[in-house]
Amino acid sequence: MKSKNTKSLFIIYFLNLKLALRNKSIIITGLIFICISSLFIIMQSLSSSYPKMQLMNLSLFKAVSYICSGFCFSIFLTLIAFFFFKKQKDDGIQNIELRAGIPIWQSFLYRYSLALFISIFYVLINFNLGLLFTLISSYEQVIIKDILLTQLAFYFFLPIVLLPFIIAISMTFSVAIGILNNLLLALIIFIYPFGAALSTQLNGSINKISETSYMNTNINMHLGHLFYNSLKNNDDYKDIFEETEINFRYDSFEKEDIGDIEKRAFLNGQANLFNGDQKILSQYKIAKLIDIIYESSKEIDTYNNSIENQYWLLSEEAWSDKQVYIKIKPTLNHLKTQLPELFDLFNWVEYIYDNYLTIIKDGEPGGINGLAYSIFKKNPLIIKNTFKFEDEKLNSEENNEVFKVYKKNPEIMIINWIILSGYRASMYNDFNNSDNDILSIKNNGINYNSEFKSNNSSANGNFFNNWWYIYRGNNTKPFVNDYVSSISAMMQPTKALKYYSKNDIEEIIRRTKKSEEKISNQDLSLYKDLEMKLNGGFNITVAVICWITFSAVLIYLNSLIYKKKSKI
């Protein structure tokens, strides 16, 4: 008898699967979901090449896609639920199964598994199409591809947690009322976070730390801390953190007495140039690091097409939005082989370039120099010709030789710039010049911890926002999600932001205050002996586990409803 029931169950299972896959309503709504989701992926993939605009567009389209695609997917799940749990009951198919000896719990589970299987089937099609569009997009940066992939992966989670709600409503109410309630549920889930955010802003109570400047400051500390860690134990180069003058050179860039050649060195990565018969960085301890990288790079054959007439650096022509993305990994791999003592440093450069480039060059269009404008709060140098000085006196034989190396290996300018900017971040912070009330020196940063704690409590305490945070993704690189959300044109719900511990912030501000005291032969980095522990944020793993557990409970309750409504 058991064998006969099992055989009957398999027959019914595959018969219903065939019927559901041929159901026109399910097919149409499933295809509409795939089309809308794919359309937004394509729009994101074809977004502006202007760095900050890339992220703004991605964030905006991602939020709109969450509403539109999520709502369509809810309708799709509703039709699947009604097909298996309402229509077949009304058509008497459930009663036929029960008379054939199939237990009620088996009848429920196979229907639920079919509903889940069909929804995942369409999600898999959507994922593969979206993955294809993402891989062929013009984006080279890891961060952007991560944003798109987390968006696609969300829909594997959605039917697991949403379907039990929709099934419960579909079994409890009539067709018309059930559909209306399911649509209302979808509106609450997919529109509420943004409606609440808009309401909060209209009331004038939006949290100050949602502003981009606070994200910049946190990222600046993160990059400076990592740079310090990459060299602090290197006996050959750790003395660069004993420097006392370089902070003030950065602080003086807006003054007229700082020449074009020095600005090129610090802001454009052309750090091997000569001023007369001396190298421009010769007075700084970091010069030996920059020089040895330059000398090793002479042996490298170019890995890029000629860029002599392309404006990968910020120039007047770069305002036309022209850019060249230069892959620096081959050069870094060569340098790691030639200079193994700097292996950790080159890993740091690669990490920054791959994961933070799009964020930290958002200040202005045109290549790497936007870094100086945004995170490090210094205006980039606008130059008419990347490889030539307007002042003929500076076009010396030595500088022309340096320019030849830069033309051959432009990666070296990028590496120079990232190293010098990371070095500065490890030694200096703009708290004193910032209009950032939370992080300013004048209040000793006393608001930093309390403001972020309050923000996180509000964000994590509202479970209506949970699915949005899961959809947004949990980039493992600190502050990436926080920054992307902060520049979105779409109203965002209160954010669960990462932040540093109170003790670390207070110590950094104390050291920043003392930065003008010249102390020789001491490690003056802001991050010496600091752990820089991260707090806050939204734990997606815990949230997913909790929601799946809750869904399992709801599935059990649904089985009881199914049993109660089943009649022989």
Side-chain angles (χ1 to χ4, degrees):
M1 183 69 179
K2 184 177 181 181
S3 176
K4 183 178 179 181
N5 286 345
T6 303
K7 184 178 180 180
S8 299
L9 183 62
F10 273 106
I11 293 172
I12 294 172
Y13 188 95
F14 287 105
L15 177 61
N16 278 312
L17 175 61
K18 184 177 180 180
L19 291 173
L21 289 174
R22 290 182 175 182
N23 184 277
K24 292 182 180 179
S25 298
I26 293 175
I27 292 173
I28 291 171
T29 53
L31 291 178
I32 290 174
F33 156 69
I34 292 172
C35 289
I36 291 177
S37 177
S38 298
L39 176 63
F40 278 105
I41 291 292
I42 293 172
M43 292 169 66
Q44 288 166 284
S45 300
L46 299 177
S47 183
S48 170
S49 59
Y50 172 32
K52 184 172 183 177
M53 192 61 69
Q54 286 179 351
L55 291 178
M56 290 180 68
N57 288 347
L58 280 169
S59 188
L60 174 62
F61 288 143
K62 186 164 187 171
V64 177
S65 178
Y66 176 75
I67 296 173
C68 298
S69 301
F71 190 77
C72 287
F73 194 72
S74 299
I75 297 175
F76 170 64
L77 292 181
T78 296
L79 292 179
I80 292 176
F82 270 98
F83 177 82
F84 285 114
F85 293 94
K86 199 72 175 180
K87 184 177 184 299
Q88 292 197 345
K89 178 180 180 300
D90 294 341
D91 291 345
I93 295 177
Q94 288 183 17
N95 289 340
I96 294 174
E97 294 172 2
L98 296 177
R99 290 192 182 97
I102 296 175
I104 292 177
W105 66 270
Q106 287 186 3
S107 177
F108 170 79
L109 282 182
Y110 98 72
R111 279 185 164 75
Y112 175 76
S113 65
L114 277 175
L116 187 61
F117 174 83
I118 292 171
S119 60
I120 295 294
F121 174 75
Y122 278 84
V123 168
L124 192 60
I125 295 174
N126 178 65
F127 182 83
N128 288 329
L129 283 175
L131 182 62
L132 176 63
F133 295 136
T134 301
L135 293 177
I136 64 176
S137 71
S138 59
Y139 294 131
E140 298 281 356
Q141 290 80 13
V142 173
I143 172 182
I144 295 181
K145 292 188 183 295
D146 283 350
I147 290 173
L148 297 176
L149 290 177
T150 56
Q151 177 175 327
L152 293 167
F154 170 76
Y155 292 104
F156 288 103
F157 162 80
L158 191 56
I160 296 173
V161 295
L162 182 56
L163 193 56
F165 287 95
I166 290 177
I167 290 174
I169 292 172
S170 301
M171 289 193 299
T172 304
F173 299 97
S174 65
V175 174
I177 300 300
I179 291 176
L180 288 175
N181 285 337
N182 281 327
L183 294 180
L184 179 61
L185 175 66
L187 287 174
I188 293 173
I189 292 172
F190 297 107
I191 294 182
Y192 168 81
F194 307 100
L198 178 60
S199 174
T200 301
Q201 189 172 66
L202 292 176
N203 291 334
S205 58
I206 193 155
N207 198 308
K208 293 189 295 182
I209 62 174
S210 64
E211 298 174 14
T212 307
S213 61
Y214 308 122
M215 300 306 102
N216 283 348
T217 304
N218 276 339
I219 295 172
N220 184 34
M221 289 189 287
H222 175 60
L223 303 189
H225 178 237
L226 292 183
F227 177 84
Y228 175 72
N229 285 343
S230 73
L231 287 173
K232 68 179 181 180
N233 296 320
N234 191 312
D235 292 335
D236 295 325
Y237 298 100
K238 66 182 180 182
D239 64 330
I240 67 172
F241 299 113
E242 298 171 4
E243 189 66 76
T244 59
E245 297 292 336
I246 201 164
N247 293 342
F248 308 106
R249 302 310 288 167
Y250 274 99
D251 235 6
S252 303
F253 279 162
E254 277 129 16
K255 297 179 182 179
E256 294 182 0
D257 61 335
I258 302 300
D260 174 55
I261 191 170
E262 192 163 342
K263 287 184 179 180
R264 280 183 181 244
F266 285 102
L267 296 183
N268 290 69
Q270 296 181 341
N272 307 99
L273 294 169
F274 288 79
N275 190 2
D277 59 355
Q278 283 193 330
K279 287 189 175 181
I280 190 61
L281 294 183
S282 60
Q283 60 182 307
Y284 305 117
K285 294 180 179 180
I286 200 172
K288 59 182 179 181
L289 179 62
I290 297 297
D291 287 343
I292 194 171
I293 292 173
Y294 173 76
E295 292 300 324
S296 295
S297 72
K298 289 181 179 179
E299 304 172 12
I300 305 173
D301 292 327
T302 183
Y303 296 104
N304 298 287
N305 296 325
S306 173
I307 64 159
E308 185 171 352
N309 297 314
Q310 300 186 57
Y311 308 103
W312 74 277
L313 286 174
L314 187 62
S315 62
E316 289 182 351
E317 291 85 352
W319 298 100
S320 66
D321 209 24
K322 296 179 181 178
Q323 293 185 79
V324 176
Y325 181 83
I326 294 179
K327 296 180 180 179
I328 67 172
K329 189 169 184 176
T331 297
L332 289 173
N333 287 340
H334 171 89
L335 292 172
K336 288 175 186 178
T337 302
Q338 297 296 311
L339 304 169
E341 69 274 17
L342 294 174
F343 188 87
D344 289 342
L345 174 67
F346 296 135
N347 276 344
W348 174 83
V349 172
E350 186 176 345
Y351 170 82
I352 299 303
Y353 196 71
D354 285 346
N355 297 288
Y356 287 89
L357 178 65
T358 306
I359 288 180
I360 55 184
K361 70 170 187 173
D362 77 344
E364 302 293 346
I368 194 73
N369 293 287
L371 285 158
Y373 184 84
S374 57
I375 297 303
F376 298 101
K377 302 180 177 66
K378 296 296 175 187
N379 293 321
L381 177 64
I382 299 177
I383 53 180
K384 288 186 176 180
N385 194 316
T386 303
F387 303 111
K388 187 178 180 181
F389 288 105
E390 289 186 69
D391 185 351
E392 287 298 328
K393 295 179 182 179
L394 295 175
N395 288 315
S396 62
E397 183 177 343
E398 292 84 355
N399 283 339
N400 288 334
E401 286 300 314
V402 173
F403 283 141
K404 285 182 181 179
V405 175
Y406 288 162
K407 287 180 182 180
K408 180 183 177 184
N409 296 306
E411 304 93 336
I412 299 305
M413 288 186 284
I414 300 176
I415 293 169
N416 283 346
W417 194 92
I418 294 177
I419 288 174
L420 286 170
S421 298
Y423 175 53
R424 181 192 181 236
S426 72
M427 301 293 289
Y428 181 76
N429 212 303
D430 286 322
F431 292 149
N432 200 32
N433 300 323
S434 175
D435 55 1
N436 182 333
D437 292 334
I438 294 175
L439 289 165
S440 66
I441 283 180
K442 57 188 176 185
N443 69 15
N444 290 315
I446 57 177
N447 294 329
Y448 179 88
N449 193 264
S450 60
E451 289 285 353
F452 274 97
K453 269 189 175 180
S454 174
N455 190 86
N456 276 272
S457 296
S458 175
N460 285 299
N462 190 341
F463 67 88
F464 284 113
N465 292 334
N466 280 187
W467 291 7
W468 161 250
Y469 289 135
I470 295 170
Y471 172 83
R472 188 186 68 163
N474 188 26
N475 194 297
T476 56
K477 311 305 182 293
F479 310 115
V480 168
N481 281 342
D482 300 347
Y483 184 87
V484 173
S485 293
S486 72
I487 64 172
S488 173
M490 183 82 174
M491 295 298 101
Q492 301 279 331
T494 304
K495 306 172 189 69
L497 305 173
K498 293 185 180 295
Y499 60 99
Y500 288 114
S501 70
K502 178 182 178 182
N503 291 339
D504 285 338
I505 292 297
E506 289 177 347
E507 180 60 22
I508 290 172
I509 291 177
R510 186 189 69 80
R511 294 178 184 181
T512 301
K513 284 183 176 181
K514 294 179 64 177
S515 63
E516 295 185 7
E517 299 177 13
K518 297 186 178 182
I519 306 173
S520 300
N521 302 318
Q522 288 190 25
D523 187 334
L524 302 177
S525 172
L526 296 176
Y527 304 100
K528 179 184 178 183
D529 299 326
L530 292 185
E531 183 181 353
M532 297 302 290
K533 181 181 178 182
L534 279 171
N535 301 315
F538 181 78
N539 193 318
I540 287 184
T541 302
V542 172
V544 168
I545 292 173
C546 289
W547 275 106
I548 291 178
T549 302
F550 181 76
S551 298
V553 174
L554 190 55
I555 290 170
Y556 173 73
L557 295 177
N558 282 342
S559 69
L560 298 181
I561 297 174
Y562 183 85
K563 182 178 180 180
K564 182 178 179 180
K565 289 185 172 290
S566 296
K567 297 177 181 178
I568 299 179

